[in-house]
Amino acid sequence: MDPALEKLIRLHDLEKMEEEISSEEYMKIISKLRQEEDEEELKKMRDEALEAIRREKEKIIKELNKINPTYYNRYRMFKNAYGHGIAQVVEGICLNCFSRVPTSFITQHGKLLRCPNCGIFLYVPKGKKTEGERL
Amino acid sequence: MLKNLLKKEHLILDMKAKTKEEALKELVSVFQLPEDKEQIILETLKKRESIGSTGIGKGIAIPHARSLVLDKVYLAVGRSKEGVDFDALDGQPVHLFFMLCAPPQDPNTTYLLALGKIASLARKLAKNREYMNIDDPDEFINYLLQLEGEQ
Ligand SMILES: [Zn+2]
């Protein structure tokens, strides 16, 4: 897998984790799981987790900037516009804009690709060969 | 609700793992994902554990994460008779795992609902260790579903 693509996915997953840990709904579940009802204790745990994620994100962004400084800026721009900086392609469809991507993308899985329609970074999973490719 | 997620092929009643890393790997492997996806989801799960163990104590752990590389919600259940050192909150080895993995987009909030259900189920399971004595997969799943149904 392209190292920049791998870092963008890791960054995405970390930001999902960050979002999750910041949500009240998730923390209610964690409080139930841990049988911890002390609000202060839970808040402390959440703050520590968010701080650990922030440090991890910084590391990835640094690595990403070493590869190409435009990637992170673009990722952030897409994230601000769409709520996420990278999208998955499922059955040939970009899950950000729901338009079909070229069938040639499927054979290029593992490369850093962008949606020709909305521009977002794409993760194209290794897929079965499509009709178009066989022709 | 867990009925739709609990699958016999995602159940391991005799986990071989001894360590946290091995346990995560063994559980993820039941989903039979392509290697690149498996690597990424494992990495995300490990990161999640590093910011706070999901070993909630009393022998139960609930590793969970969302990842870009998934397109549906997956649940694996694993039991280890010997127990796994999972850095649980009470320091005790973990014998029962619920691993929940989900895509980033979750319009029906299946993931959070499932996590909530598993949290309630875990509390019931922790009360007695009946799950240690069931060796038939169908019976094991039925036992979990029956407990889930009890209010
Ligand atoms: Zn698109």
Side-chain angles (χ1 to χ4, degrees):
Chain A
M1 186 182 285
D2 182 287
L5 173 61
E6 190 231 314
K7 285 173 183 40
L8 288 170
I9 297 173
R10 276 168 54 198
L11 185 60
H12 167 281
D13 285 2
L14 275 172
E15 289 192 335
K16 266 286 146 192
M17 217 181 278
E18 192 175 34
E19 233 171 72
E20 182 168 275
I21 289 172
S22 307
S23 89
E24 287 301 320
E25 213 180 342
Y26 178 78
M27 285 316 283
K28 266 188 211 152
I29 296 172
I30 292 294
S31 134
K32 196 158 142 192
L33 279 175
R34 298 194 158 211
Q35 305 204 355
E36 176 62 75
E37 272 144 24
D38 183 342
E39 295 251 339
E40 277 305 305
E41 195 53 43
L42 280 168
K43 191 179 171 299
K44 187 175 152 241
M45 194 188 75
R46 180 171 68 186
D47 291 346
E48 280 170 8
L50 290 174
E51 178 57 25
I53 293 175
R54 196 190 57 76
R55 280 197 304 269
E56 202 56 45
K57 272 172 61 179
E58 252 174 29
K59 235 193 273 171
I60 296 177
I61 294 166
K62 222 183 223 172
E63 289 167 5
L64 202 53
N65 282 340
K66 262 190 223 158
I67 301 173
N68 185 331
T70 66
Y71 289 162
Y72 178 66
N73 291 339
R74 283 220 177 97
Y75 173 93
R76 192 55 43 213
M77 195 182 81
F78 295 136
K79 170 115 181 158
N80 291 339
Y82 304 127
H84 40 256
I86 180 167
Q88 186 176 184
V89 171
V90 175
E91 287 171 20
I93 306 283
C94 159
L95 285 193
N96 182 52
C97 68
F98 299 100
S99 69
R100 191 162 282 284
V101 301
T103 44
S104 62
F105 276 25
I106 309 297
T107 52
Q108 297 181 64
H109 91 93
K111 295 208 174 112
L112 185 62
L113 300 166
R114 289 175 59 194
C115 174
N117 185 51
C118 67
I120 202 162
F121 288 116
L122 294 175
Y123 166 67
V124 186
K126 197 173 180 174
K128 295 182 200 98
K129 289 209 174 211
T130 61
E131 203 59 39
E133 264 181 274
R134 278 201 293 272
L135 292 173
Chain B
M1 110 138 264
L2 291 180
K3 197 173 194 290
N4 300 327
L5 292 171
L6 276 170
K7 293 189 169 73
K8 212 157 82 171
E9 58 274 25
H10 293 172
L11 172 69
I12 316 173
L13 287 178
D14 52 345
M15 284 179 71
K16 308 276 178 289
K18 299 274 177 286
T19 64
K20 180 184 268 200
E21 179 145 3
E22 285 169 3
L24 294 174
K25 222 170 169 175
E26 190 173 357
L27 288 161
V28 167
S29 74
V30 300
F31 304 141
Q32 298 197 305
L33 297 167
E35 206 189 327
D36 63 332
K37 286 194 181 198
E38 193 174 292
Q39 278 309 317
I40 285 168
I41 184 75
L42 255 178
E43 194 58 45
T44 303
L45 286 161
K46 276 194 247 169
K47 276 280 126 67
R48 177 62 189 80
E49 291 303 322
S50 75
I51 63 162
S53 177
T54 64
I56 55 167
K58 300 200 170 88
I60 299 176
I62 307 172
H64 57 273
R66 299 168 86 151
S67 177
L68 178 79
V69 303
L70 297 178
D71 57 8
K72 61 174 187 163
V73 178
Y74 290 89
L75 173 66
V77 179
R79 182 189 62 191
S80 162
K81 288 218 162 166
E82 284 183 31
V84 176
D85 179 5
F86 207 75
D87 297 324
L89 296 178
D90 59 1
Q92 295 299 308
V94 170
H95 292 279
L96 186 63
F97 292 88
F98 290 90
M99 175 184 275
L100 190 66
C101 300
Q105 71 287 354
D106 185 20
N108 305 319
T109 60
T110 311
Y111 166 74
L112 272 186
L113 284 173
L115 200 57
K117 288 276 177 192
I118 294 168
S120 310
L121 184 59
R123 291 181 82 151
K124 295 180 196 169
L125 285 161
K127 283 188 191 145
N128 70 53
R129 295 223 168 178
E130 187 56 34
Y131 62 84
M132 289 301 280
N133 306 319
I134 306 172
D135 289 320
D136 177 71
D138 288 311
E139 210 181 302
F140 197 92
I141 288 181
N142 284 337
Y143 174 69
L144 296 181
L145 291 176
Q146 188 199 325
L147 267 192
E148 187 207 352
E150 285 171 13
Q151 288 307 313

